[in-house]
Coordinates of all heavy atoms in Angstrom, one line a residue:
M18 N 36.0 -5.3 -23.5 CA 35.4 -4.6 -24.6 C 34.8 -5.6 -25.6 O 35.4 -6.6 -25.9 CB 36.5 -3.7 -25.3 CG 36.0 -3.1 -26.5 SD 37.1 -1.9 -27.2 CE 36.6 -0.5 -26.2
P19 N 33.6 -5.3 -26.1 CA 32.9 -6.2 -27.0 C 33.7 -6.2 -28.4 O 34.4 -5.3 -28.8 CB 31.6 -5.5 -27.3 CG 31.4 -4.6 -26.1 CD 32.8 -4.1 -25.7
F20 N 33.6 -7.4 -29.0 CA 34.1 -7.6 -30.3 C 33.1 -7.4 -31.4 O 33.5 -7.3 -32.6 CB 34.7 -9.0 -30.5 CG 36.0 -9.3 -29.7 CD1 36.1 -10.4 -28.9 CD2 37.1 -8.5 -29.9 CE1 37.3 -10.6 -28.2 CE2 38.3 -8.7 -29.2 CZ 38.4 -9.8 -28.4
V21 N 31.8 -7.3 -31.1 CA 30.7 -7.2 -32.1 C 29.8 -6.0 -31.7 O 29.4 -5.9 -30.6 CB 29.9 -8.5 -32.1 CG1 28.8 -8.4 -33.1 CG2 30.8 -9.7 -32.5
Y22 N 29.5 -5.2 -32.7 CA 28.6 -4.1 -32.6 C 27.6 -4.1 -33.7 O 27.9 -4.2 -34.9 CB 29.3 -2.8 -32.7 CG 30.2 -2.5 -31.5 CD1 31.6 -2.8 -31.5 CD2 29.7 -1.8 -30.4 CE1 32.4 -2.6 -30.4 CE2 30.5 -1.5 -29.3 CZ 31.8 -1.9 -29.3 OH 32.6 -1.6 -28.2
D23 N 26.3 -4.0 -33.3 CA 25.2 -3.9 -34.3 C 25.4 -2.5 -35.0 O 25.9 -1.6 -34.4 CB 23.8 -3.9 -33.6 CG 23.5 -5.3 -33.1 OD1 24.2 -6.3 -33.4 OD2 22.6 -5.4 -32.2
F24 N 24.9 -2.4 -36.2 CA 25.0 -1.1 -36.9 C 24.3 0.0 -36.2 O 24.7 1.1 -36.1 CB 24.4 -1.2 -38.3 CG 25.1 -2.1 -39.3 CD1 24.5 -2.6 -40.4 CD2 26.5 -2.5 -39.1 CE1 25.1 -3.4 -41.3 CE2 27.1 -3.3 -40.0 CZ 26.5 -3.7 -41.1
D25 N 23.1 -0.4 -35.5 CA 22.4 0.6 -34.8 C 22.7 0.8 -33.4 O 22.0 1.4 -32.6 CB 20.9 0.4 -35.0 CG 20.4 -0.9 -34.5 OD1 21.2 -1.7 -34.0 OD2 19.2 -1.2 -34.5
H26 N 23.9 0.3 -33.0 CA 24.3 0.4 -31.6 C 24.5 1.9 -31.2 O 24.9 2.7 -32.0 CB 25.7 -0.3 -31.4 CG 26.3 -0.2 -30.1 ND1 25.9 -1.0 -29.0 CD2 27.2 0.6 -29.6 CE1 26.6 -0.7 -27.9 NE2 27.4 0.3 -28.3
K27 N 24.1 2.2 -30.0 CA 24.2 3.6 -29.6 C 25.6 3.8 -29.0 O 25.9 3.4 -27.9 CB 23.2 4.0 -28.5 CG 21.7 3.8 -29.0 CD 21.4 4.7 -30.2 CE 20.0 4.5 -30.6 NZ 19.8 4.5 -32.0
H28 N 26.5 4.4 -29.7 CA 27.9 4.6 -29.4 C 28.0 5.9 -28.5 O 27.3 6.8 -28.6 CB 28.8 4.7 -30.6 CG 28.7 3.5 -31.4 ND1 29.5 2.4 -31.1 CD2 28.1 3.2 -32.6 CE1 29.3 1.4 -32.1 NE2 28.4 1.9 -32.9
R29 N 29.1 5.9 -27.7 CA 29.3 7.1 -26.9 C 29.9 8.2 -27.7 O 29.7 9.4 -27.4 CB 30.4 6.7 -25.8 CG 29.8 5.8 -24.7 CD 30.8 5.6 -23.6 NE 30.1 4.7 -22.6 CZ 30.8 4.0 -21.8 NH1 32.1 4.0 -21.7 NH2 30.1 3.3 -20.9
R30 N 30.6 7.9 -28.8 CA 31.1 8.9 -29.7 C 30.5 8.6 -31.1 O 30.0 7.5 -31.3 CB 32.6 8.7 -29.9 CG 33.4 8.9 -28.6 CD 34.9 8.7 -28.8 NE 35.4 8.1 -30.0 CZ 36.4 7.3 -30.1 NH1 37.0 6.9 -29.0 NH2 36.8 6.9 -31.3
P31 N 30.5 9.6 -31.9 CA 29.9 9.4 -33.3 C 30.7 8.2 -34.0 O 31.9 8.1 -33.8 CB 30.2 10.7 -34.0 CG 30.3 11.7 -32.9 CD 30.9 11.0 -31.7
P32 N 30.0 7.4 -34.7 CA 30.6 6.2 -35.3 C 31.8 6.6 -36.2 O 32.8 5.8 -36.2 CB 29.5 5.6 -36.1 CG 28.3 5.9 -35.4 CD 28.5 7.3 -34.8
M33 N 31.7 7.7 -36.9 CA 32.8 8.1 -37.8 C 34.1 8.4 -37.0 O 35.2 8.3 -37.5 CB 32.4 9.3 -38.6 CG 31.4 8.9 -39.6 SD 31.7 7.5 -40.7 CE 33.0 8.2 -41.7
E34 N 34.0 8.7 -35.7 CA 35.2 8.8 -34.9 C 35.7 7.5 -34.3 O 36.7 7.5 -33.6 CB 34.9 9.7 -33.7 CG 34.6 11.2 -34.0 CD 34.3 12.0 -32.8 OE1 34.5 11.6 -31.7 OE2 33.8 13.2 -33.0
M35 N 35.0 6.4 -34.7 CA 35.4 5.1 -34.2 C 35.9 4.2 -35.3 O 35.8 3.0 -35.2 CB 34.2 4.5 -33.5 CG 33.7 5.3 -32.3 SD 32.3 4.6 -31.4 CE 33.1 3.1 -30.8
K36 N 36.4 4.8 -36.4 CA 36.9 4.0 -37.5 C 38.0 3.0 -37.1 O 38.1 1.9 -37.6 CB 37.4 4.9 -38.6 CG 36.3 5.5 -39.5 CD 37.0 6.2 -40.6 CE 35.9 6.9 -41.5 NZ 36.5 7.6 -42.6
D37 N 38.8 3.4 -36.1 CA 39.9 2.6 -35.6 C 39.3 1.3 -35.0 O 40.0 0.3 -35.0 CB 40.7 3.3 -34.6 CG 40.0 3.8 -33.4 OD1 38.8 4.2 -33.5 OD2 40.5 3.9 -32.3
L38 N 38.1 1.3 -34.4 CA 37.5 0.1 -33.8 C 36.6 -0.6 -34.8 O 36.6 -1.8 -34.9 CB 36.7 0.6 -32.6 CG 35.9 -0.6 -31.8 CD1 36.9 -1.6 -31.2 CD2 35.0 0.0 -30.8
L39 N 35.7 0.2 -35.5 CA 34.7 -0.5 -36.3 C 35.2 -0.7 -37.8 O 34.5 -1.4 -38.5 CB 33.5 0.5 -36.4 CG 32.8 0.8 -35.1 CD1 31.7 1.8 -35.2 CD2 32.2 -0.5 -34.4
G40 N 36.3 -0.2 -38.2 CA 36.7 -0.2 -39.5 C 36.0 0.8 -40.3 O 34.9 1.3 -39.9
G41 N 36.4 1.1 -41.5 CA 35.8 2.2 -42.3 C 34.4 1.8 -42.7 O 33.5 2.7 -42.6
K42 N 34.2 0.6 -43.3 CA 32.8 0.3 -43.7 C 31.9 0.1 -42.5 O 30.7 0.6 -42.5 CB 32.8 -1.0 -44.5 CG 33.5 -0.9 -45.8 CD 33.5 -2.2 -46.6 CE 34.2 -2.0 -47.9 NZ 34.5 -3.2 -48.6
G43 N 32.4 -0.4 -41.4 CA 31.5 -0.6 -40.2 C 31.1 0.8 -39.6 O 30.0 1.0 -39.3
A44 N 32.1 1.7 -39.6 CA 31.8 3.1 -39.1 C 30.8 3.8 -40.0 O 29.9 4.4 -39.5 CB 33.1 3.9 -39.0
N45 N 31.0 3.6 -41.3 CA 30.0 4.3 -42.3 C 28.6 3.7 -42.1 O 27.6 4.4 -42.1 CB 30.5 4.1 -43.7 CG 31.6 5.0 -44.0 OD1 31.7 6.2 -43.6 ND2 32.6 4.6 -44.8
L46 N 28.5 2.4 -42.0 CA 27.2 1.8 -41.8 C 26.5 2.2 -40.5 O 25.3 2.4 -40.4 CB 27.3 0.2 -41.9 CG 27.5 -0.3 -43.4 CD1 28.0 -1.7 -43.3 CD2 26.3 -0.1 -44.2
A47 N 27.3 2.2 -39.4 CA 26.8 2.7 -38.1 C 26.4 4.1 -38.2 O 25.3 4.5 -37.7 CB 27.9 2.5 -37.1
E48 N 27.1 5.0 -38.9 CA 26.8 6.4 -39.1 C 25.5 6.5 -39.8 O 24.6 7.3 -39.4 CB 27.9 7.1 -39.8 CG 27.7 8.6 -40.0 CD 28.1 9.4 -38.8 OE1 28.7 8.9 -37.9 OE2 27.8 10.6 -38.9
M49 N 25.3 5.8 -40.9 CA 24.1 5.9 -41.8 C 22.9 5.4 -41.0 O 21.8 6.0 -41.1 CB 24.3 5.0 -43.0 CG 25.2 5.6 -44.0 SD 25.2 4.8 -45.6 CE 26.2 3.3 -45.2
T50 N 23.1 4.4 -40.1 CA 21.9 3.8 -39.4 C 21.6 4.6 -38.2 O 20.5 5.0 -38.0 CB 22.3 2.4 -39.0 OG1 22.6 1.6 -40.2 CG2 21.1 1.7 -38.3
S51 N 22.6 4.8 -37.3 CA 22.3 5.4 -36.0 C 22.3 6.9 -35.9 O 21.6 7.5 -35.1 CB 23.3 4.9 -34.9 OG 24.6 5.3 -35.2
V52 N 23.0 7.6 -36.9 CA 23.0 9.0 -36.8 C 22.1 9.7 -37.9 O 21.3 10.5 -37.6 CB 24.5 9.5 -37.0 CG1 24.6 11.0 -37.1 CG2 25.4 9.0 -35.9
L53 N 22.3 9.2 -39.1 CA 21.5 9.8 -40.2 C 20.1 9.2 -40.4 O 19.3 9.7 -41.1 CB 22.4 9.6 -41.5 CG 23.7 10.3 -41.5 CD1 24.5 9.9 -42.8 CD2 23.6 11.7 -41.3
G54 N 19.9 8.0 -39.8 CA 18.6 7.4 -39.9 C 18.2 6.9 -41.3 O 17.1 6.8 -41.7
L55 N 19.2 6.5 -42.1 CA 19.0 6.0 -43.4 C 18.5 4.6 -43.3 O 18.9 3.8 -42.4 CB 20.3 6.1 -44.3 CG 20.8 7.5 -44.5 CD1 22.1 7.5 -45.3 CD2 19.7 8.3 -45.3
P56 N 17.8 4.1 -44.3 CA 17.2 2.7 -44.3 C 18.3 1.7 -44.7 O 18.2 1.1 -45.8 CB 16.1 2.8 -45.3 CG 16.5 3.9 -46.3 CD 17.3 4.9 -45.5
V57 N 19.2 1.4 -43.8 CA 20.2 0.4 -44.0 C 19.7 -0.9 -43.4 O 19.2 -0.9 -42.3 CB 21.5 0.8 -43.3 CG1 22.6 -0.2 -43.4 CG2 22.0 2.1 -43.9
P58 N 19.8 -2.0 -44.2 CA 19.4 -3.3 -43.6 C 20.2 -3.5 -42.3 O 21.3 -3.1 -42.1 CB 19.8 -4.3 -44.7 CG 19.9 -3.5 -45.9 CD 20.3 -2.1 -45.5
P59 N 19.5 -4.2 -41.3 CA 20.2 -4.5 -40.1 C 21.5 -5.4 -40.3 O 21.5 -6.1 -41.3 CB 19.2 -5.3 -39.3 CG 17.9 -5.3 -40.0 CD 18.2 -4.8 -41.4
G60 N 22.4 -5.2 -39.4 CA 23.7 -6.0 -39.5 C 24.6 -5.7 -38.4 O 24.2 -4.9 -37.5
F61 N 25.8 -6.2 -38.4 CA 26.7 -6.0 -37.3 C 28.1 -6.0 -37.9 O 28.4 -6.5 -39.0 CB 26.6 -7.0 -36.2 CG 26.7 -8.4 -36.6 CD1 27.9 -9.1 -36.6 CD2 25.6 -9.2 -36.9 CE1 28.1 -10.4 -36.9 CE2 25.7 -10.5 -37.3 CZ 26.9 -11.1 -37.3
S62 N 29.0 -5.4 -37.1 CA 30.5 -5.4 -37.5 C 31.2 -6.1 -36.4 O 30.9 -6.1 -35.2 CB 31.0 -4.0 -37.5 OG 30.4 -3.2 -38.5
I63 N 32.2 -6.9 -36.9 CA 33.2 -7.5 -36.0 C 34.4 -6.5 -35.9 O 34.9 -6.1 -37.0 CB 33.6 -8.9 -36.4 CG1 32.4 -9.8 -36.5 CG2 34.7 -9.4 -35.5 CD1 32.6 -11.2 -37.0
T64 N 34.8 -6.1 -34.7 CA 35.8 -5.0 -34.6 C 37.2 -5.4 -35.1 O 37.6 -6.6 -35.2 CB 35.9 -4.6 -33.1 OG1 36.5 -5.7 -32.4 CG2 34.6 -4.2 -32.5
T65 N 38.0 -4.3 -35.3 CA 39.4 -4.5 -35.6 C 40.1 -5.1 -34.4 O 41.1 -5.7 -34.6 CB 40.0 -3.2 -36.1 OG1 39.8 -2.2 -35.0 CG2 39.3 -2.7 -37.3
D66 N 39.6 -4.9 -33.2 CA 40.3 -5.5 -32.0 C 40.2 -7.0 -32.1 O 41.1 -7.7 -31.7 CB 39.6 -5.0 -30.7 CG 39.9 -3.6 -30.3 OD1 40.9 -3.1 -30.9 OD2 39.2 -3.1 -29.5
A67 N 39.1 -7.5 -32.6 CA 38.9 -9.0 -32.8 C 40.0 -9.5 -33.8 O 40.6 -10.5 -33.6 CB 37.5 -9.3 -33.3
C68 N 40.2 -8.7 -34.9 CA 41.2 -9.1 -35.9 C 42.6 -9.1 -35.3 O 43.3 -10.0 -35.5 CB 41.1 -8.1 -37.1 SG 42.3 -8.5 -38.4
R69 N 42.9 -8.1 -34.6 CA 44.2 -8.0 -34.0 C 44.4 -9.1 -32.9 O 45.5 -9.7 -32.9 CB 44.5 -6.6 -33.3 CG 44.8 -5.5 -34.3 CD 45.2 -4.3 -33.6 NE 44.1 -3.5 -33.0 CZ 43.4 -2.7 -33.7 NH1 43.6 -2.5 -35.0 NH2 42.4 -2.0 -33.1
A70 N 43.4 -9.4 -32.2 CA 43.5 -10.5 -31.2 C 43.7 -11.8 -31.9 O 44.5 -12.7 -31.5 CB 42.2 -10.6 -30.3
Y71 N 43.0 -12.0 -33.0 CA 43.1 -13.3 -33.8 C 44.6 -13.4 -34.4 O 45.2 -14.5 -34.3 CB 42.1 -13.3 -34.9 CG 42.3 -14.4 -35.9 CD1 42.0 -15.7 -35.5 CD2 43.0 -14.2 -37.1 CE1 42.2 -16.8 -36.4 CE2 43.2 -15.3 -38.0 CZ 42.8 -16.6 -37.6 OH 43.0 -17.6 -38.5
M72 N 45.1 -12.3 -34.9 CA 46.4 -12.3 -35.5 C 47.5 -12.6 -34.4 O 48.5 -13.2 -34.7 CB 46.7 -11.0 -36.2 CG 45.8 -10.9 -37.5 SD 45.9 -9.4 -38.3 CE 47.6 -9.4 -38.9
A73 N 47.2 -12.1 -33.2 CA 48.2 -12.3 -32.1 C 48.2 -13.7 -31.5 O 49.2 -14.2 -31.1 CB 48.0 -11.2 -31.0
A74 N 46.9 -14.2 -31.3 CA 46.9 -15.5 -30.5 C 45.8 -16.4 -31.0 O 45.4 -17.3 -30.2 CB 46.6 -15.1 -29.1
G75 N 45.3 -16.3 -32.2 CA 44.2 -17.2 -32.7 C 42.8 -16.6 -32.3 O 42.7 -15.5 -31.9
W76 N 41.8 -17.4 -32.6 CA 40.4 -17.0 -32.4 C 40.2 -16.5 -31.0 O 40.4 -17.2 -30.0 CB 39.5 -18.2 -32.7 CG 38.1 -17.8 -32.9 CD1 37.1 -17.9 -31.9 CD2 37.5 -17.3 -34.0 NE1 35.9 -17.4 -32.5 CE2 36.1 -17.1 -33.8 CE3 38.0 -16.9 -35.3 CZ2 35.2 -16.5 -34.7 CZ3 37.1 -16.4 -36.2 CH2 35.8 -16.2 -35.9
P77 N 39.7 -15.3 -30.8 CA 39.5 -14.7 -29.5 C 38.5 -15.4 -28.7 O 37.4 -15.8 -29.2 CB 39.1 -13.3 -29.7 CG 39.5 -13.0 -31.1 CD 39.4 -14.3 -31.8
E78 N 38.7 -15.6 -27.4 CA 37.7 -16.2 -26.5 C 36.5 -15.3 -26.4 O 36.6 -14.1 -26.3 CB 38.3 -16.4 -25.1 CG 37.4 -17.2 -24.2 CD 38.1 -17.5 -22.8 OE1 39.3 -17.6 -22.8 OE2 37.3 -17.6 -21.9
G79 N 35.4 -15.9 -26.6 CA 34.1 -15.2 -26.5 C 33.6 -14.7 -27.8 O 32.4 -14.3 -27.9
L80 N 34.4 -14.7 -28.9 CA 34.0 -14.1 -30.1 C 32.8 -14.9 -30.7 O 31.9 -14.3 -31.2 CB 35.1 -14.0 -31.1 CG 34.8 -13.4 -32.5 CD1 34.1 -12.1 -32.4 CD2 36.0 -13.4 -33.4
S81 N 32.9 -16.2 -30.7 CA 31.9 -17.0 -31.3 C 30.5 -16.8 -30.6 O 29.5 -16.7 -31.2 CB 32.2 -18.5 -31.2 OG 33.3 -18.8 -32.0
A82 N 30.6 -16.6 -29.3 CA 29.3 -16.4 -28.5 C 28.8 -15.0 -28.9 O 27.5 -14.8 -29.0 CB 29.6 -16.5 -27.0
E83 N 29.6 -14.0 -29.0 CA 29.2 -12.7 -29.4 C 28.6 -12.7 -30.8 O 27.5 -12.0 -31.0 CB 30.3 -11.7 -29.4 CG 30.7 -11.2 -28.0 CD 31.7 -10.1 -28.0 OE1 31.4 -9.0 -28.6 OE2 32.7 -10.2 -27.3
V84 N 29.2 -13.4 -31.7 CA 28.6 -13.4 -33.1 C 27.3 -14.2 -33.1 O 26.3 -13.7 -33.7 CB 29.6 -14.1 -34.0 CG1 29.0 -14.4 -35.4 CG2 30.9 -13.3 -34.2
A85 N 27.2 -15.2 -32.3 CA 25.9 -16.0 -32.2 C 24.8 -15.1 -31.6 O 23.7 -15.1 -32.1 CB 26.1 -17.2 -31.3
K86 N 25.1 -14.3 -30.6 CA 24.1 -13.3 -30.1 C 23.7 -12.3 -31.1 O 22.6 -11.9 -31.2 CB 24.6 -12.7 -28.8 CG 24.7 -13.7 -27.6 CD 25.2 -13.0 -26.4 CE 25.4 -14.0 -25.2 NZ 26.0 -13.3 -24.0
A87 N 24.7 -11.7 -31.8 CA 24.5 -10.7 -32.8 C 23.6 -11.3 -33.9 O 22.7 -10.6 -34.4 CB 25.8 -10.1 -33.4
R88 N 23.9 -12.5 -34.3 CA 23.1 -13.2 -35.3 C 21.7 -13.4 -34.9 O 20.7 -13.2 -35.7 CB 23.7 -14.5 -35.7 CG 23.1 -15.1 -37.0 CD 23.6 -16.5 -37.3 NE 23.0 -17.4 -36.4 CZ 23.6 -18.6 -36.1 NH1 24.8 -18.9 -36.5 NH2 23.0 -19.4 -35.3
A89 N 21.5 -13.8 -33.6 CA 20.1 -13.9 -33.1 C 19.4 -12.6 -33.1 O 18.2 -12.6 -33.4 CB 20.2 -14.5 -31.7
R90 N 20.1 -11.5 -32.7 CA 19.4 -10.2 -32.8 C 19.0 -9.8 -34.2 O 18.0 -9.3 -34.5 CB 20.3 -9.1 -32.2 CG 20.5 -9.2 -30.7 CD 21.2 -7.9 -30.2 NE 22.5 -7.7 -30.7 CZ 23.7 -8.2 -30.3 NH1 23.7 -9.0 -29.2 NH2 24.8 -7.9 -30.8
L91 N 19.9 -10.1 -35.1 CA 19.7 -9.8 -36.5 C 18.5 -10.6 -37.1 O 17.6 -10.1 -37.8 CB 20.9 -10.2 -37.4 CG 20.9 -9.9 -38.9 CD1 20.6 -8.5 -39.2 CD2 22.2 -10.4 -39.5
E92 N 18.4 -11.9 -36.7 CA 17.3 -12.8 -37.1 C 16.0 -12.2 -36.6 O 15.0 -12.1 -37.3 CB 17.5 -14.2 -36.6 CG 18.6 -14.9 -37.3 CD 18.9 -16.3 -36.7 OE1 18.5 -16.5 -35.6 OE2 19.5 -17.1 -37.4
K93 N 16.0 -11.7 -35.3 CA 14.8 -11.2 -34.7 C 14.4 -9.9 -35.4 O 13.2 -9.7 -35.7 CB 15.0 -10.9 -33.2 CG 13.8 -10.5 -32.5 CD 14.1 -10.4 -31.0 CE 12.8 -10.0 -30.3 NZ 13.0 -9.8 -28.9
K94 N 15.3 -9.0 -35.7 CA 15.0 -7.8 -36.4 C 14.4 -8.0 -37.8 O 13.5 -7.3 -38.2 CB 16.3 -6.9 -36.5 CG 16.7 -6.3 -35.2 CD 18.0 -5.5 -35.4 CE 18.6 -5.0 -34.1 NZ 19.9 -4.4 -34.3
M95 N 14.9 -9.0 -38.4 CA 14.5 -9.3 -39.8 C 13.3 -10.2 -39.9 O 12.7 -10.4 -40.9 CB 15.7 -9.8 -40.6 CG 16.8 -8.8 -40.8 SD 18.1 -9.4 -41.8 CE 17.3 -9.3 -43.4
G96 N 13.0 -10.9 -38.8 CA 11.9 -11.8 -38.8 C 12.2 -13.1 -39.6 O 11.4 -13.7 -40.1
L97 N 13.5 -13.4 -39.6 CA 14.0 -14.6 -40.4 C 14.9 -15.4 -39.5 O 15.5 -14.9 -38.5 CB 14.8 -14.1 -41.6 CG 14.0 -13.4 -42.7 CD1 15.0 -12.8 -43.7 CD2 13.0 -14.2 -43.3
S98 N 15.2 -16.6 -39.9 CA 16.1 -17.5 -39.3 C 17.1 -18.1 -40.3 O 16.6 -18.5 -41.4 CB 15.4 -18.6 -38.5 OG 16.3 -19.5 -38.0
W99 N 18.3 -18.1 -40.0 CA 19.3 -18.7 -40.9 C 18.9 -20.2 -41.2 O 19.1 -20.7 -42.3 CB 20.7 -18.7 -40.3 CG 21.3 -17.3 -40.3 CD1 21.4 -16.6 -39.2 CD2 21.7 -16.5 -41.4 NE1 22.0 -15.3 -39.5 CE2 22.2 -15.3 -40.8 CE3 21.8 -16.7 -42.7 CZ2 22.6 -14.3 -41.6 CZ3 22.3 -15.7 -43.5 CH2 22.7 -14.5 -43.0
A100 N 18.4 -20.9 -40.2 CA 18.0 -22.3 -40.3 C 16.8 -22.5 -41.2 O 16.7 -23.5 -41.9 CB 17.7 -22.9 -38.9
T101 N 15.9 -21.5 -41.4 CA 14.7 -21.7 -42.2 C 14.7 -20.8 -43.4 O 13.7 -20.9 -44.2 CB 13.5 -21.5 -41.3 OG1 13.5 -20.1 -40.8 CG2 13.4 -22.5 -40.2
A102 N 15.6 -19.9 -43.6 CA 15.6 -19.0 -44.7 C 15.8 -19.7 -46.0 O 16.6 -20.7 -46.1 CB 16.7 -17.9 -44.6
P103 N 15.1 -19.4 -47.1 CA 15.3 -20.0 -48.3 C 16.6 -19.7 -48.9 O 17.2 -18.6 -48.7 CB 14.2 -19.4 -49.2 CG 13.8 -18.1 -48.6 CD 14.1 -18.3 -47.1
T104 N 17.2 -20.6 -49.6 CA 18.5 -20.4 -50.2 C 18.3 -19.6 -51.6 O 17.2 -19.7 -52.1 CB 19.2 -21.7 -50.5 OG1 18.4 -22.5 -51.5 CG2 19.4 -22.5 -49.3
P105 N 19.3 -18.9 -52.1 CA 19.1 -18.2 -53.3 C 18.7 -19.0 -54.5 O 18.1 -18.5 -55.4 CB 20.5 -17.6 -53.5 CG 21.1 -17.6 -52.2 CD 20.6 -18.7 -51.5
C106 N 19.0 -20.3 -54.4 CA 18.7 -21.2 -55.6 C 17.3 -21.8 -55.4 O 16.9 -22.6 -56.2 CB 19.7 -22.3 -55.7 SG 21.4 -21.6 -56.1
S107 N 16.6 -21.5 -54.3 CA 15.3 -22.2 -54.1 C 14.2 -21.6 -55.0 O 14.2 -20.5 -55.4 CB 14.8 -21.9 -52.7 OG 15.7 -22.6 -51.8

């Protein structure tokens, strides 16, 4: 099971029924984006399963790679790169 879901991920169940996996804020953002079509900036949620795995045995195997892939998708959607984005103080 994935540890990272984009806000606009097409879920099998409505996001609000997945609060146990996405967390309350993650489920709300997924609902606004994928169901209601509201103009929410792109983003992703790290699941509560990742948190439980971390608490049980440390950083979950594969989580860093999933976050890196999600970040790359986010950069592509926004047309920006973390490496080249201006800092707030620029």
Side-chain angles (χ1 to χ4, degrees):
M18 175 169 274
F20 286 129
V21 177
Y22 289 92
D23 292 344
F24 293 161
D25 61 357
H26 177 83
K27 302 300 181 216
H28 299 281
R29 291 183 179 160
R30 298 182 348 219
M33 293 307 291
E34 291 181 12
M35 299 180 67
K36 282 185 182 182
D37 58 325
L38 177 67
L39 300 173
K42 289 179 184 171
N45 284 323
L46 288 164
E48 182 85 6
M49 288 187 285
T50 302
S51 64
V52 176
L53 301 175
L55 296 175
V57 175
F61 58 88
S62 296
I63 299 174
T64 67
T65 56
D66 286 346
C68 179
R69 282 190 284 276
Y71 172 77
M72 292 174 63
W76 196 260
E78 186 175 331
L80 178 56
S81 293
E83 284 190 51
V84 170
K86 287 178 184 177
R88 190 182 78 207
R90 288 190 303 271
L91 180 60
E92 289 173 341
K93 186 175 181 180
K94 287 176 187 176
M95 296 186 71
L97 297 171
S98 170
W99 291 105
T101 60
T104 62
C106 298
S107 296

